[in-house]
Amino acid sequence: MMCKIETKVLSVASAKAPFEKTTMERRELRPHDVLIEIQYSGICHSDIHSAHGEWGGGMFPMVPGHEIAGVVAAVGAEVTKFAVGDRVGVGCFVDSCGECEYCLSGEEQYCTKGVVSTYNSLDYDGNPTYGGYSQKIVVTEGFVVRIPDGLPMDAASPLLCAGITTFSPLKHWKAGPGKKVAIVGMGGLGHLAIQFAHALGAEVTVLSRSLDKQAEALSFGADQYFATSDKETFKSLAGRFDLILNTVSANLPVDAYLSLLRVDGTLVNVGAPSERDQYHVFSLIMGRRSIAGSLVGGIRETQEMLDFAAEHGIVPQIEVISADQVDEAYERVLKSDVRYRFVIDISTL
Ligand code: NAP
Ligand code: ZN
């Protein structure tokens, strides 16, 4: 019988507090559990919303991190999917009821009992969950995915949230040949959305605040690029898109973006600002348009996304940092001063 497993972590004691290096215990392995030695952990803007208490209900101390890439270090007695040494990933959630219609259809993120998030959540035994800014994590095998050999471990980590969060809605709303897709915001999510939409065969337009990222957007596969700070952009692109994927972490003037949709077009929000959006209902009525939202993606689709990324050479562009640079990295993400995802090298913890 194994004992509880001690791990170093980076945690915040309260909303907006600086990160501290400390230790905590992971649960001892249950029959279907996998112990993962984490190598890299991406910094998602959701970590910042959560660690800053912006979404309400923050549980502290908090260990953020849901873009986890590591290697299996031990397996429970009944684990069949993984063996010691496997390259694996964990994304935004670590358990779900497994019985509701959404779990059964592979969309665990919409579990009716409530999905257990990787951090800032309570598991079904009532224990708080702690995320990937740590050396070790214990996760039941059904919520662990395989990182294909073709993907480097550091660059694979952001795929576990930023990748699946953009891949899933692009697939759901059928981004593909003949479809005009706009990606709004070119950050961690946005720069992957460009690559996925392009690989799926859509015509891809990037809408970013300035022209600063134009050359890189085109290198990621964008066909066109416009600055939203230029009012002409909204005139020249009126009625253009089948699908707009909004990855922006702040509120946008929704009516202006709805005006860029064709009849029957959809504005899908994955960006998750804490304040309410506002729009005029006539912006929908006059073009039979829709506003939608999407939450990450299920485990099966996450594996499909990783395999698709490996096959199409889709890799996040990252800046690897050490564990003592995370506070500074948060500040830089808030200034959009990152190209395009910070990834913590967990060996520095
Ligand atoms: P990020 O790297 O900070 O990128 C956000 C981008 O939004 C920035 O690069 C910037 O793009 C644009 N932006 C930022 N502030 C803006 C402002 N005030 N006005 C207009 N544009 C602005 O963040 P991320 O990690 O990609 O996450 C983006 C959002 O998605 C966050 O709210 C996050 O919580 C959310 N999220 C949701 C899900 C989900 O399941 N739905 C999953 C993961 C993340 P430009 O410089 O190109 O304009
Ligand atoms: Zn995330």
Side-chain angles (χ1 to χ4, degrees), residues 68-70 87-89 145-149 151-153 156 160 303 306:
I68 298 170
R87 291 154 39 98
V88 294
V145 290
R146 197 171 289 283
I147 296 179
D149 287 339
L151 292 175
M153 291 296 270
L160 276 305
Q303 188 64 61
L306 287 168

Side-chain angles (χ1 to χ4, degrees), residues 42-49 52 133 186-189 209 213 249 319 321 325-343:
I43 295 180
C44 177
H45 205 118
S46 299
D47 300 347
I48 303 177
H49 291 306
H52 286 183
Y133 298 5
M186 193 172 149
L189 269 59
R209 284 168 296 179
K213 303 173 188 170
S249 49
E319 292 188 41
I321 59 166
Q325 291 176 297
V326 175
D327 290 315
E328 184 192 332
Y330 274 31
E331 292 304 317
R332 285 185 53 198
V333 172
L334 291 174
K335 288 187 268 178
S336 297
D337 174 24
V338 50
R339 297 286 188 276
Y340 285 90
R341 198 55 138 193
F342 287 115
V343 171

Side-chain angles (χ1 to χ4, degrees), residues 214-231:
Q214 182 164 20
E216 277 171 337
L218 299 180
S219 77
F220 293 142
D223 298 287
Q224 293 175 314
Y225 183 107
F226 294 89
T228 53
S229 52
D230 180 353
K231 293 281 174 284

Side-chain angles (χ1 to χ4, degrees), residues 23-37:
T23 58
M24 60 173 47
E25 286 184 337
R26 298 293 189 183
R27 68 172 181 246
E28 57 190 78
L29 292 192
R30 297 170 182 164
H32 285 283
D33 278 346
V34 171
L35 170 65
I36 300 167
E37 290 277 356

